[in-house]
């Protein structure tokens, strides 16, 4: 509907003013909702002058399920499962944020074992998510092979998840108070063999893509986002860190066992697509470092704290945030003291990161749009919720 | 700054503000009419410099609506929560998207879900919902949809 009206307006402007009007001669095109480079059902309406982008306008809602409204009628045990369907590539982290929020409200002390396992799981998910992004990113700019390399390693993580959580994508492994089940007996062994495998492959990624001159030419200087804009647009995660903005929730507001491990917050000052690319590559190495420190030191004990059968959050407001693969996920629960949240808000990282796309894209060529969108690492269900 | 210091500095800027300190962060209640000037002070004041808005949302309390702004400072790492009570029948508040660019999309979401009218917003129209949903405000508590809504 939008497309026709917009084009008609442009056409009538041209005819009524003889083509002198600002904006006359602009072309409005649609990218998506069904477009391979949007990685989901994202609809961008792009105003072009020749080949130069004048405006990018996201049209959302193609996969909107109103998760926030749905959660208002689900109990504190039930609503966590729905959130795996938001950012499905960071399902563990979504669950983590919700579990933390309920635990904060109920003042549940989570056993050390659960904390450590949560961190390992989160970091495995981060690697899996970044790998998928890396393969898809390379494919967006024209290299097909990396996709298969990325999926080969990601498959190993999926198998580890499947054994312990019973699912490969929407895990639902975290519950308020700890974990849903005990780890699979082979967990440590499999994770260690994955780490060995992955360490030998990560350098291969650099050889295959990072050092490639064609790839660098496509990425460097593209999608410039200044540090000030990144903060103003509410960007977080690799998008903000690519502009040199320190925003790692794991460092700034440590949760679970992140205060027990040594790792660096990765920062780049390039402010362009290549900087954001490098952030994710380097983050994968940091994730490996975190897992290595913890995998042999999982404390013995309970995996779940004893909680009441029916959870009731006290009256009040609770906000927790975690670092997902895409950035800062905030969970804001307003409780009236009942068994279901009165209002729940998910501050999704993708939503804010997407809003910066217009700023990045203005003035650049249409062909570069894919290279910008790719480095934002958009997951559409996370944006639409 | 700690909550106490924040409170004393904010009282200097806006004596009319009331506080709620029961939560983790300092909650500040402001009148919608005070909000535009106060927001720009929060953003620009050198000792506060709240440059990062990490959450913007609205709550329907059945008798009134409450706008909730979560602000943080990347320089000082302090956080505050601003709340503003709006009339449920004619909710109106000034936009802050010139101060925090992220507010533009978030305000559009609140506009369609809760029907809050943001004055001076450059492009206030539906974002997530398709055409034909103007004025229906599905996130309000009294919204009924017998076909699409499943009640447990």
């Amino acid at each position: 509907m939008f497309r026709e009206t917009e084009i008609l307006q442009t056409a009538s402007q041209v005819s009524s003013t003889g083509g002198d009007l600002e904006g006359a001669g602009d072309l409005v095109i649609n990218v998506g909702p069904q477009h391979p480079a949007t990685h989901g059902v994202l609809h961008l309406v792009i105003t072009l002058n020749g080949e130069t982008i004048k405006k990018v306008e996201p049209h959302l809602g193609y996969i909107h399920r109103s998760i926030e409204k749905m959660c208002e009628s689900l109990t504190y045990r039930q609503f966590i499962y729905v959130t795996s369907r938001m950012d499905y590539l960071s399902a563990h982290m979504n669950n983590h944020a919700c579990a933390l929020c309920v635990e904060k409200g109920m003042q549940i002390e989570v056993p050390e074992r659960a904390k450590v396992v949560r961190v390992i799981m989160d970091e495995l998910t981060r690697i899996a998510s970044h790998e998928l992004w890396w393969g898809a990113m390379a494919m967006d700019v024209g290299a097909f092979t990396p996709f298969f390399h990325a999926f080969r390693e990601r498959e190993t993580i999926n198998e580890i998840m499947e054994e312990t959580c019973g699912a490969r994508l929407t895990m639902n492994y975290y519950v308020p108070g700890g974990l849903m089940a005990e780890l699979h007996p082979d967990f440590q062994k499999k994770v260690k063999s994955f780490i060995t495998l992955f360490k030998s492959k990560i350098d291969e990624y650099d050889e295959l893509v990072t050092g490639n001159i064609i790839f660098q030419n496509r990425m460097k200087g593209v999608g410039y986002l200044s540090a000030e804009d990144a903060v103003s647009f509410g960007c977080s995660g690799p998008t903000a860190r690519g502009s040199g903005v320190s925003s790692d929730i794991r460092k700034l507001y440590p949760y679970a066992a992140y205060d027990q491990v040594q790792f660096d917050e990765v920062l780049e000052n390039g402010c362009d697509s290549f900087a954001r690319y490098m952030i994710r590559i380097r983050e994968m190495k940091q994730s490996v470092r975190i897992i290595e420190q913890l995998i042999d030191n999982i404390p013995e004990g309970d995996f779940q704290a004893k909680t009441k059968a029916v959870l009731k959050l006290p009256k009040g407001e609770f906000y927790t945030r975690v670092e997902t693969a895409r950035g800062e996920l905030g969970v804001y629960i307003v409780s009236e003291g009942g068994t279901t949240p009165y209002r729940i808000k998910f501050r999704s990282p993708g939503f804010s990161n997407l809003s910066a796309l217009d700023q990045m894209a203005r003035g650049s060529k249409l062909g570069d749009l894919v290279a910008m969108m790719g480095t934002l690492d958009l997951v559409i269900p996370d944006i639409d919720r | 700054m700690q909550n106490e210091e924040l409170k004393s500095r904010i009282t200097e800027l806006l004596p009319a503000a009331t506080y709620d300190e029961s939560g983790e962060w300092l909650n500040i209640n402001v009148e919608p009419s005070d909000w535009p000037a106060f927001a720009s002070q929060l953003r620009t004041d050198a000792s506060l410099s709240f440059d990062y808005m990490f959450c913007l949302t609205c709550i329907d309390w059945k008798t009134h609506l409450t706008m909730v702004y979560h602000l943080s400072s990347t320089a000082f790492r302090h956080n505050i929560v601003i709340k503003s009570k709006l009339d449920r029948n004619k909710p109106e508040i000034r936009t802050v998207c010139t101060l925090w660019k992220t507010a533009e999309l978030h305000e559009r979401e609140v506009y369609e879900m809760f029907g809050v009218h943001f004055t001076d917003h450059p492009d206030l129209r539906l974002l997530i919902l398709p055409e034909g949903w103007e004025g229906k405000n599905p996130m309000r508590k009294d919204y009924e949809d017998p076909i699409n809504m499943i009640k447990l």
Side-chain angles (χ1 to χ4, degrees), chain A residues 2-13:
Chain A
F2 177 80
R3 176 181 44 184
E4 283 95 356
T5 48
E6 197 63 1
I7 291 172
L8 282 175
Q9 271 172 9
T10 317
S12 64
Q13 281 165 353

Side-chain angles (χ1 to χ4, degrees), chain B residues 7-83:
Chain B
K7 190 177 166 184
S8 62
R9 179 73 189 119
I10 286 163
T11 316
E12 282 171 35
L13 294 174
L14 186 75
T18 56
Y19 302 92
D20 171 16
E21 288 164 274
S22 55
E24 180 189 5
W25 298 320
L26 183 67
N27 279 234
I28 302 154
N29 301 309
V30 297
E31 288 296 317
S33 54
D34 292 335
W35 174 232
F38 180 53
S40 110
Q41 281 172 327
L42 290 177
R43 175 76 180 81
T44 50
D45 188 278
S47 63
L48 298 173
S49 111
F50 285 104
D51 51 358
Y52 180 48
M53 176 177 274
F54 59 95
C55 191
L56 186 162
T57 190
C58 186
I59 305 166
D60 181 10
W61 288 107
K62 291 178 187 158
T63 51
H64 62 271
L65 300 176
T66 305
M67 282 300 299
V68 185
Y69 302 86
H70 285 77
L71 297 173
S72 176
S73 161
T74 49
F76 305 114
R77 297 290 166 204
H78 47 220
N79 307 290
I80 49 165
V81 186
I82 311 285
K83 287 184 182 164

Side-chain angles (χ1 to χ4, degrees), chain A residues 36-37 39 89 129-148 150-151 209-210 214-216 218-220 222 272-278 280-281 284 367-378:
Chain A
H39 302 292
L89 294 179
S129 171
H130 283 355
E131 283 203 74
L132 190 144
W133 160 82
W134 178 78
M137 173 78 241
M139 200 161 72
D140 282 349
V141 292
F144 205 85
T145 320
F147 195 73
F148 297 109
F151 267 65
V209 176
T210 317
I214 303 169
F215 180 76
Q216 290 201 4
R218 292 256 357 225
M219 304 290 277
K220 280 189 177 167
V222 166
D272 57 358
S273 284
F274 192 69
R276 293 188 283 274
Y277 170 88
M278 284 311 291
R280 293 200 178 86
I281 292 285
M284 285 198 264
D368 289 335
L369 185 74
V370 170
M372 294 170 211
M373 246 168 20
T375 52
L376 287 181
D377 196 10
L378 302 172

Side-chain angles (χ1 to χ4, degrees), chain A residues 1-2 57-58 60-61 64 66 68-69 72-74 104 229 231-236 246 252-253 317 319 321 328 332 334 336 342-343 345 347 351-352 355 384-385, chain B residues 24-25 27 51-52 54-62 68 70 72 74 77 79 83 99-102 105-106 109 113-114 125 127-128 131 138-141 149 152:
Chain A
M1 290 300 272
F2 177 80
E57 215 184 304
L60 307 177
H64 175 65
S66 201
E68 290 171 9
K69 184 89 176 173
E72 284 175 12
S73 58
L74 296 173
K104 189 183 199 175
D229 277 337
V231 174
S232 183
F233 278 111
C235 296
S236 53
S246 165
L252 298 174
Y253 311 99
E317 295 172 8
Y319 193 104
R321 35 191 173 178
E328 173 184 340
Y332 178 49
V334 180
E336 281 283 81
Y342 183 76
R343 164 95 172 101
K345 159 83 183 167
R347 183 263 187 227
F351 190 80
S352 300
S355 66
D384 282 358
R385 281 160 286 138
Chain B
E24 180 189 5
W25 298 320
N27 279 234
D51 51 358
Y52 180 48
F54 59 95
C55 191
L56 186 162
T57 190
C58 186
I59 305 166
D60 181 10
W61 288 107
K62 291 178 187 158
V68 185
H70 285 77
S72 176
T74 49
R77 297 290 166 204
N79 307 290
K83 287 184 182 164
L99 299 168
W100 298 281
K101 289 174 185 166
T102 182
L105 283 193
H106 279 97
E109 193 192 342
M113 296 295 177
F114 291 91
R125 55 190 170 81
L127 175 69
I128 290 173
E131 271 175 41
M139 284 298 285
R140 285 209 187 181
K141 288 283 175 187
M149 244 164 87
L152 296 175

Side-chain angles (χ1 to χ4, degrees), chain B residues 104 107-108 111 116-119 121-126:
Chain B
E104 187 175 336
E107 282 176 351
R108 274 176 71 183
Y111 161 72
V116 177
H117 190 77
F118 293 93
T119 48
H121 191 284
D123 190 17
L124 197 63
R125 55 190 170 81
L126 298 182

Side-chain angles (χ1 to χ4, degrees), chain B residues 82-94:
Chain B
I82 311 285
K83 287 184 182 164
S84 194
K85 237 184 191 183
L86 304 180
D87 179 9
R88 199 164 184 276
N89 297 318
K90 199 173 176 295
E92 219 176 53
I93 193 164
R94 175 85 186 272

